[in-house]
Amino acid sequence: MPTQDINIDETKTNLMADIKYLTEVVGERSYMDVEKLNMTADYIEERFRSIGCDTKRQPFQYAGNTYWNIICEIRGLSEPDKTIVIGAHYDTVSGTPGADDNASGVAGIIELARLSLKNPLPMTIHLVSFSIEEPPLFRTRQMGSYAYAESLRKERANIIGMVSLEMIGYFSESKGTQFYPLPFFRWFYPEKGDFIAFVGNLKSRAFTRKFKSAFTNVSRIPVESLNAVSLVPGVDFSDHSSFWKFGFPAFMITDTAFYRNPNYHGRGDTASTLDYERMSEIIRGIYMALKLI
């Protein structure tokens, strides 16, 4: 599908509507508030269905409660036996409406589903919204993404790779707004928080580079990438790390979270702080890249 056939204004409107609902109608979506999480799961499921996706729910248990991953599968046109997973968590920490973290990723997943249903991709894609990624379940086997990755391994699914959308909405044009986990990173990466980052482990290097190459060919958004060991703080800070544990290549697309966004995990992480123009271009770029890899 030619780039100009994607209506960026429509994508922007859809992203804004979903983020405002999740942050202003639902609000805080902590693992302790199962009712709010169920409300969120219902909304995501209804949004998937409204655009024509046959949606599935995957239940999993934690501390006596049932949580849900919401899955939209769209079969590929030419290589349907190959699958790419695009995922984003929909929970928040306590005390934040979670616009960037991570309503931005969830809204991106829903919009990617709409674009892909309208004009299907070569490979099959799974658009998945995960529950309970945030602390205290962070980086544990209780995460929704772990349950989903484990189920794929048991099914022996042919997963080409997984991409986690983890905070994709906050940008800055000012120098000195971008920070890094280690001081020497400043020698190689920008001072301004005006780029999107592709971050994965060493084993996912080939998949990350292939996706980055496809993305940069179709998008004007600057991209920086890093594939490193988990000892570098932040490399494994999202749902993609669950997929590593089952041998799947995976990386996250992120605005770098607390290395840039001063509203991280706070009450200030609201819908009004996000850059919907850049977010729309990122989603367009991801969709177009999926047509090329």
Side-chain angles (χ1 to χ4, degrees):
M1 182 169 99
T3 299
Q4 59 267 28
D5 285 354
I6 296 177
N7 187 329
I8 286 293
D9 288 337
E10 185 177 10
T11 290
K12 179 179 175 181
T13 297
N14 292 338
L15 292 173
M16 290 180 68
D18 288 331
I19 290 171
K20 284 188 175 182
Y21 182 90
L22 292 173
T23 58
E24 297 174 9
V25 177
V26 181
E28 177 184 322
R29 306 175 295 282
S30 162
Y31 81 101
M32 295 182 290
D33 196 334
V34 177
E35 182 178 351
K36 285 290 186 71
L37 287 177
N38 287 341
M39 184 178 177
T40 305
D42 290 344
Y43 176 78
I44 296 167
E45 182 177 47
E46 177 54 35
R47 287 289 285 118
F48 278 153
R49 288 179 173 172
S50 72
I51 56 180
C53 185
D54 184 12
T55 306
K56 299 177 182 178
R57 283 182 175 240
Q58 180 188 42
F60 62 98
Q61 307 294 318
Y62 173 70
N65 294 317
T66 299
Y67 299 88
W68 302 92
N69 293 328
I70 309 300
I71 306 150
C72 168
E73 178 183 301
I74 303 172
R75 296 285 290 173
L77 288 178
S78 58
E79 299 179 280
D81 294 331
K82 297 179 179 179
T83 299
I84 292 179
V85 178
I86 314 288
H89 71 89
Y90 61 84
D91 61 315
T92 71
V93 295
S94 298
T96 177
D100 197 23
D101 189 14
N102 189 31
S104 65
V106 174
I109 291 292
I110 295 169
E111 182 61 10
L112 283 170
R114 186 186 70 83
L115 294 172
S116 302
L117 283 160
K118 185 176 180 181
N119 289 279
L121 298 161
M123 296 184 193
T124 294
I125 57 168
H126 290 185
L127 291 311
V128 189
S129 289
F130 305 116
S131 195
I132 58 174
E133 182 266 358
E134 297 285 7
L137 296 318
F138 183 55
R139 301 165 80 189
T140 71
R141 294 185 178 188
Q142 281 71 49
M143 291 167 61
S145 55
Y146 186 97
Y148 189 67
E150 183 178 39
S151 70
L152 293 175
R153 174 53 63 204
K154 289 179 179 178
E155 294 167 6
R156 298 185 179 180
N158 185 14
I159 304 299
I160 302 303
M162 184 272 181
V163 181
S164 174
L165 303 190
E166 178 61 62
M167 303 181 63
I168 60 170
Y170 190 88
F171 297 87
S172 175
E173 291 290 341
S174 301
K175 289 185 178 181
T177 54
Q178 184 64 53
F179 299 90
Y180 297 98
L182 299 171
F184 69 85
F185 275 43
R186 288 187 171 275
W187 303 345
F188 307 101
Y189 293 101
E191 292 181 78
K192 296 190 294 184
D194 62 351
F195 62 90
I196 198 72
F198 289 14
V199 182
N201 64 355
L202 294 175
K203 291 184 178 180
S204 303
R205 181 182 296 169
F207 178 59
T208 308
R209 287 180 173 177
K210 187 175 184 179
F211 207 106
K212 179 184 177 182
S213 177
F215 185 93
T216 55
N217 281 335
V218 298
S219 178
R220 65 178 182 270
I221 295 287
V223 180
E224 300 292 340
S225 62
L226 174 68
N227 288 91
V229 296
S230 295
L231 290 175
V232 178
V235 168
D236 62 348
F237 283 10
S238 189
D239 294 294
H240 60 302
S241 63
S242 294
F243 288 75
W244 298 345
K245 296 170 185 176
F246 296 96
F248 299 122
F251 69 94
M252 67 174 161
I253 296 179
T254 179
D255 61 22
T256 74
F258 52 87
Y259 292 119
R260 177 188 304 175
N261 190 339
N263 305 308
Y264 177 76
H265 281 187
R267 295 191 180 279
D269 186 12
T270 60
S272 63
T273 64
L274 303 189
D275 186 328
Y276 294 94
E277 294 289 345
R278 282 188 170 99
M279 285 179 62
S280 299
E281 176 60 26
I282 288 167
I283 296 306
R284 187 195 68 79
I286 293 170
Y287 171 77
M288 296 298 292
L290 287 166
K291 296 178 76 70
L292 300 176
I293 59 174

